[in-house]
Amino acid sequence: MDSFVIEGGTPVQGEVAISGSKNAALPILCSSILADDTCTYQKIPDLRDIRTIIEVLSNLGMQVSGVDESCVLIEPTQITSQEAPYELVKSMRASILVLGPLLAKYGKAKVSLPGGCAIGVRPIDMHLKGLAKMGAEINLSHGYVVASAKQLKGARIVFDKPTVGGTENIMMAATLAKGTTVIEGAAKEPEVVDLADALTRMGAHISGAGSSTVSVEGVKSLTGLEYEVIPDRIETGTFIAAAAITHGQLMITGVRHDLIVSVVEKLRETGVIIKEIGQGKLFVDGRCEIRPIDVVTAPYPGFPTDMQAQIMALSCIGVGVSSITETIFENRFMHVPELMRMGANLEEKGTTVIVRGIKQFQGASVMATDLRASASMVLAALNAKGLTEIRRIYHLDRGYEELDMKLKSIGARVERIRGDL
Ligand code: UD1
C-alpha cells in the first residue's frame, strides 16, 4: 500500500483548485439508474470511491465511459443484473445508494451490506425501513439486502435523526413511485440538494430539498441529463486548514462560499484571515497564532463531522485549550492516538476531546485509519518538525483528488511511496 512521506514546516503558498464533491457525485452517479437515456456528468472527481461506484454500475450492465478528465457519460439502458456484490460494496458504504434506484426502476435489487470507513456501527436500518414503508419486501440473507416491489408507493417517512444516505436513497426511490412521498426529518446537506437538482433536471418532481421536509411526487419515467456536481466543501475546508496549520497564504479557487459558512466561521475564530473574493475564490492568510476553539459537530448547516479530525489537528497548535465534540458518529476519534504520537496533547472524555495546545507537531510514523482521520495526519505532518510517514493512504485516495500533487503545487514537501497492495 502507498504511503506519504511529508517533510513539515514549510508554509503552503500559491493557488489550489477544488474538485467536484465526492459525496454529491456518488448518489448522482447512482441516480443514473433511474434514467431512460444518456446521462453526462461534469466535475466528477477521479477518486477511488468514484471508481468503485462506477464498477458497481458497470457490473449492473450500464455502459460507463470517461469523456475527459472529470466528465463521465452513462448509458443506463441494457441493465443485465440488479446485484451489487460484496467484492465491490465492501470497500464503500455508499454503494447502498443503488438500492433505491434499482427497486424503483426494476422492482428488485440485491445489494451486499456495506463496509467502508471504520467509524462506528453505521447501520442502514433507516434506509430499509423507509423503503419497506413504500411497499418493498426486504430480507437480509447471507450478508445481502434482498429487496423487491412490483411498484413502490408514496409514503410518509419520518427519520428519527437526519441521515444523508437514507434521505438520498428514499428520494431516488420516490421519483418513480406511485403517488407522493414525504420525508420528514430529512438531511439538509448540500449533497442532498445537489442530488435533488439533478433528479429534477431528469424530470422528477421534488420540493423542499435542503429543508427537513422533502416531498417527492412520483412520475412515470425520467430522462437523461447533463449535470455538473457542486465543489467539494470538505476538500475546501481541508485546504483552508492546511494554510492555517502551516501559517501559509493560499488562494483557493472553484469554491461555493454558501456551502462552507459554518467551517469558515469556526476557522475565523482561530484568528486565520479568510477573505471571500468573488467568483468562487477564497484567500486564506494563516500567518497568525492559532487561538483555541470549541467545536461541536452537527448536521448541516452545523459544523460537519467530516471536518472534525482536520480542525482537531489545527487546534493542537492553538495557544490554549480547545474542545472538540463529535455528535454524529461514535468511534470517530481514531486520529487521536496517531496525533498524540506526533506530540499532540489530547484527552478523550466520552464524545469530547480536550486539546491542550503545543508549539509544533513532531514527525513520526503514523497509520491512516479512515478518510478524514488521514487528512488530519497530513495536516499535522505539514506542520511537523521533521519527517512523517503516513501509511495506508489508500483512505486518502478514496476522498481527495490528487492530494499529493495539489499539496506539492503549493510548496508542500510530500512524496508518495508506492507499495504493494
Ligand atoms: C454521509 C457522508 C459522510 C458524512 C455523513 C454525515 C456520503 C457518501 N457520506 O454518510 O461523509 O460523514 O453523511 O454527514 O455522503 N444512521 C443510522 N441508520 C441509518 C443511517 C444512518 O442509525 O439507516 C446513523 C449513522 O450511524 C450516523 C448518522 O445516522 O450516526 C448519520 O449517518 P448518515 O447521515 O446516514 O451518513 P452517511 O449517509 O453514511
Side-chain angles (χ1 to χ4, degrees):
M1 282 178 206
D2 291 3
S3 315
F4 277 175
V5 173
I6 299 178
E7 190 183 344
T10 311
V12 297
Q13 209 126 37
E15 189 172 308
V16 70
I18 294 305
S19 300
S21 159
K22 166 180 90 73
N23 286 354
L26 288 170
I28 286 175
L29 289 171
C30 292
S31 72
S32 64
I33 294 172
L34 297 160
D36 281 344
D37 29 50
T38 314
C39 302
T40 310
Y41 301 111
Q42 308 282 351
K43 285 258 177 188
I44 302 293
D46 183 13
L47 299 170
R48 207 183 171 97
D49 274 8
I50 297 290
R51 275 177 249 136
T52 303
I53 206 73
I54 285 178
E55 256 191 84
V56 170
L57 296 176
S58 305
N59 193 66
L60 300 173
M62 294 165 70
Q63 283 172 29
V64 188
S65 47
V67 176
D68 60 36
E69 270 174 11
S70 64
C71 175
V72 170
L73 194 137
I74 303 184
E75 295 288 354
T77 45
Q78 307 302 324
I79 279 209
T80 51
S81 148
Q82 286 92 22
E83 180 173 337
Y86 176 70
E87 293 67 45
L88 295 176
V89 173
K90 70 173 193 290
S91 63
M92 191 184 64
R93 178 183 156 81
S95 316
I96 196 67
L97 293 171
V98 298
L99 182 62
L102 279 176
L103 253 184
K105 180 94 186 271
Y106 297 100
K108 53 182 181 174
K110 185 176 172 193
V111 181
S112 171
L113 285 165
C117 283
I119 41 176
V121 183
R122 299 188 80 178
I124 52 160
D125 56 317
M126 294 198 272
H127 301 229
L128 302 187
K129 275 186 205 150
L131 292 169
K133 219 161 170 217
M134 296 174 76
E137 193 181 308
I138 295 177
N139 292 301
L140 298 184
S141 166
H142 301 284
Y144 277 79
V145 180
V146 183
S148 61
K150 248 191 166 153
Q151 161 83 74
L152 289 174
K153 291 186 285 288
R156 178 170 169 262
I157 291 159
V158 184
F159 286 136
D160 303 335
K161 58 175 165 180
T163 156
V164 174
T167 304
E168 292 167 344
N169 233 339
I170 300 299
M171 211 163 67
M172 288 190 278
T175 57
L176 293 180
K178 196 170 163 48
T180 301
T181 300
V182 179
I183 309 169
E184 285 175 25
K188 302 177 199 164
E189 267 66 5
E191 294 75 21
V192 172
V193 177
D194 208 31
L195 171 64
D197 287 346
L199 290 167
T200 303
R201 194 77 71 79
M202 295 160 81
H205 292 173
I206 302 176
S207 59
S211 76
S212 57
T213 305
V214 178
S215 289
V216 186
E217 194 192 322
V219 295
K220 286 231 155 62
S221 63
L222 295 175
T223 64
L225 79 167
E226 280 190 28
Y227 195 78
E228 181 177 309
V229 304
I230 53 172
D232 197 303
R233 62 195 170 100
I234 305 302
E235 189 195 18
T236 310
T238 305
F239 274 103
I240 300 175
I245 207 164
T246 62
H247 304 298
Q249 287 174 291
L250 200 56
M251 181 72 86
I252 307 177
T253 64
V255 173
R256 271 270 303 267
H257 300 300
D258 56 321
L259 307 184
I260 52 165
V261 173
S262 63
V263 170
V264 165
E265 268 175 15
K266 198 43 87 179
L267 284 158
R268 277 187 180 138
E269 278 181 35
T270 67
V272 171
I273 294 169
I274 305 172
K275 284 188 193 151
E276 292 176 12
I277 303 171
Q279 292 182 335
K281 286 189 179 176
L282 208 60
F283 179 72
V284 188
D285 189 344
R287 293 172 304 168
C288 60
E289 260 187 358
I290 300 299
R291 292 198 290 259
I293 39 168
D294 296 315
V295 180
V296 180
T297 63
Y300 191 83
F303 190 88
T305 174
D306 286 350
M307 273 297 296
Q308 178 256 107
Q310 300 90 315
I311 202 146
M312 188 186 295
L314 177 61
S315 67
C316 285
I317 59 151
V319 280
V321 181
S322 297
S323 76
I324 314 281
T325 302
E326 172 61 47
T327 70
I328 307 293
F329 290 111
E330 59 204 77
N331 195 18
R332 205 177 198 180
F333 286 145
M334 266 115 59
H335 41 287
V336 167
E338 299 300 305
L339 292 175
M340 287 173 80
R341 299 190 62 249
M342 298 179 70
N345 184 345
L346 304 174
E347 186 188 350
E348 217 176 306
K349 284 187 172 173
T351 56
T352 298
V353 171
I354 306 296
V355 184
R356 294 182 181 84
I358 54 166
K359 237 182 153 179
Q360 190 178 12
F361 282 100
Q362 302 149 20
S365 277
V366 290
M367 183 88 86
T369 47
D370 71 43
L371 169 55
R372 308 303 171 184
S374 314
S376 77
M377 288 168 217
V378 170
L379 292 173
L382 291 174
N383 166 275
K385 189 170 166 50
L387 285 182
T388 299
E389 184 193 13
I390 306 175
R391 297 189 198 172
R392 295 164 68 99
I393 54 104
Y394 69 88
H395 289 291
L396 284 166
D397 293 333
R398 289 184 50 203
Y400 288 91
E401 190 172 43
E402 295 193 321
L403 183 61
D404 44 340
M405 305 312 282
K406 285 191 184 185
L407 285 171
K408 268 186 187 182
S409 76
I410 52 175
R413 288 182 286 212
V414 183
E415 288 305 327
R416 178 185 289 259
I417 311 295
R418 304 260 170 209
D420 296 331
L421 269 177

